[in-house]
């Protein structure tokens, strides 16, 4: 779907939350790297998509009523074969039915399982005074518990992006801690700039979350994405 089609569909359905797959389509069109993600609406289709993508795959619920997919049992990692893909399809739907009996189910995504990297987060929220503000941090408990994040106002310079990365307390982890691979810092700087340009060009976006992005020695890729639109006028 094109951007116009995605926005029209959301408006028609009176929702401001774009699904993961819609969010990833908009990001991909802006050349922001996201994991290849397909939407299946039946078990047979999910299994076929999985074999086309190549195992292992990840499968996730797609529902406008489920924001935190893993909390509701809506994410299956390391799906290794057709039998497991079929089983994951059934189990994800059962889990969601249990947690959110009234949830509208769009389908289940089948996506490539990205190799583990250092988990980082890139986000955007709008400040009443400053407008779009970009956030950067390390993923997982570092952001949830320690709030180890940095912020810059859009539009951003390359220098802003560079400082955002170096000023978080967890920066040593990105430089490669105790023999671990370092993250590709120039690539992350570029990614932050791209996200800042993307939200600048798309003022209908109210909030954005790439959580997590896997950062590698070479490159980085978003494995989950969430976009919230401004409410309709
Ligand atoms: P949630 O809605 O709960 O945030 P996510 O899509 O972020 O769901 O999935 C939960 C976790 O599963 C992620 O934080 C990440 O560690 C892992 N994950 C998600 N998608 C992929 C993927 N395509 N490849 C590898 N790991 C993934
Ligand atoms: Mg996530």
């Amino acid at each position: 779907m094109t951007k116009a089609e995605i926005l029209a569909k959301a408006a028609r359905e009176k929702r401001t939350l774009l699904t993961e797959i819609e969010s990833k389509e908009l990001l991909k069109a802006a050349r922001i790297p996201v994991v290849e993600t397909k939407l299946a609406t039946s078990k047979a289709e999910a299994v076929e998509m999985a074999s086309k993508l190549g195992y292992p795959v990840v499968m996730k619920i797609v529902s406008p009523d489920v924001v935190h997919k893993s909390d509701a049992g809506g994410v299956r990692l390391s799906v290794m074969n057709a039998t497991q893909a079929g089983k994951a399809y059934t189990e994800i739907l059962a889990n969601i039915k249990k947690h959110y009996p009234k949830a509208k189910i769009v389908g289940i995504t089948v996506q490539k399982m990205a190799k583990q990297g250092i988990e980082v987060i890139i986000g955007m929220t709008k400040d009443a005074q400053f407008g779009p503000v970009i956030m950067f941090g390390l993923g997982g408990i570092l952001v949830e518990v320690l709030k180890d994040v940095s912020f810059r106002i859009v539009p951003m310079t390359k220098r802003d992006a560079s400082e955002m990365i170096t000023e978080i307390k967890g920066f040593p982890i990105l430089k490669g801690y105790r023999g671990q691979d370092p993250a590709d810092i120039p690539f992350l700087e570029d990614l932050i700039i791209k996200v800042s340009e993307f939200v600048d060009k798309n003022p209908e976006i109210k909030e954005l979350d790439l959580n997590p992005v896997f950062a590698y020695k070479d490159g980085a890729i978003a494995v989950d994405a969430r976009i919230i639109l401004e409410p309709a006028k």
Side-chain angles (χ1 to χ4, degrees):
M1 282 201 284
T2 64
K3 177 187 165 188
E5 286 166 345
I6 289 170
L7 296 185
K9 184 162 193 282
R12 215 163 45 236
E13 294 171 4
K14 294 188 169 32
R15 59 186 165 89
T16 54
L17 175 71
L18 295 187
T19 61
E20 177 185 353
I21 194 149
E22 290 168 335
S23 304
K24 282 177 169 174
E25 274 186 52
L26 295 185
L27 291 158
K28 189 180 167 197
R31 298 171 168 278
I32 291 170
V34 295
V35 163
E36 192 175 354
T37 302
K38 308 264 182 218
L39 177 67
T41 53
S42 72
K43 190 192 284 196
E45 198 183 11
V47 171
E48 193 194 312
M49 281 171 175
S51 78
K52 270 195 191 140
L53 282 175
Y55 293 102
V57 297
V58 172
M59 293 168 66
K60 303 182 197 173
I61 190 69
V62 184
S63 165
D65 303 310
V66 181
V67 180
H68 300 290
K69 301 176 291 292
S70 32
D71 291 354
V75 176
R76 272 299 150 87
L77 304 174
S78 306
V79 175
M80 302 308 289
N81 54 48
T83 311
Q84 288 183 11
K87 212 166 156 244
Y89 193 93
T90 309
E91 286 174 3
I92 288 171
L93 290 183
N95 290 340
I96 298 303
K97 210 173 166 89
K98 198 164 66 193
H99 284 87
Y100 299 96
K102 291 187 180 145
K104 174 177 185 263
I105 308 294
V106 177
I108 287 186
T109 56
V110 182
Q111 35 191 283
K112 278 202 171 143
M113 172 122 175
K115 75 172 186 325
Q116 191 62 49
I118 303 173
E119 290 198 12
V120 305
I121 296 176
I122 302 173
M124 184 278 288
T125 50
K126 279 182 177 166
D127 180 89
Q129 210 173 344
F130 300 115
V133 175
I134 302 289
M135 184 200 83
F136 174 80
L138 289 180
I141 65 163
L142 286 166
V143 68
E144 280 163 25
V145 181
L146 301 177
K147 309 268 184 265
D148 180 21
V149 291
S150 55
F151 296 92
R152 286 293 181 286
I153 296 165
V154 175
M156 282 177 52
T157 63
K158 190 100 185 159
R159 173 148 176 200
D160 289 326
S162 163
E163 287 173 356
M164 274 185 100
I165 296 172
T166 54
E167 77 190 27
I168 60 168
K169 292 192 199 73
F171 179 60
I173 294 171
L174 295 175
K175 277 199 304 188
Y177 192 66
R178 296 213 170 152
Q180 300 284 94
D181 272 346
D184 187 339
I185 308 280
F187 194 95
L188 289 179
E189 288 172 1
D190 210 58
L191 185 55
I192 291 171
I193 295 282
K194 273 189 184 152
V195 170
S196 122
E197 287 170 355
F198 173 69
V199 298
D200 208 16
K201 281 192 203 130
N202 294 278
E204 57 278 88
I205 297 176
K206 182 167 181 263
E207 270 175 55
L208 172 143
D209 252 310
L210 306 184
N211 182 9
V213 171
F214 285 179
Y216 302 118
K217 190 155 60 69
D218 295 294
I221 192 162
V223 304
D224 186 24
R226 185 163 60 101
I227 286 176
I228 297 176
L229 301 173
E230 294 283 4
K233 297 245 166 61

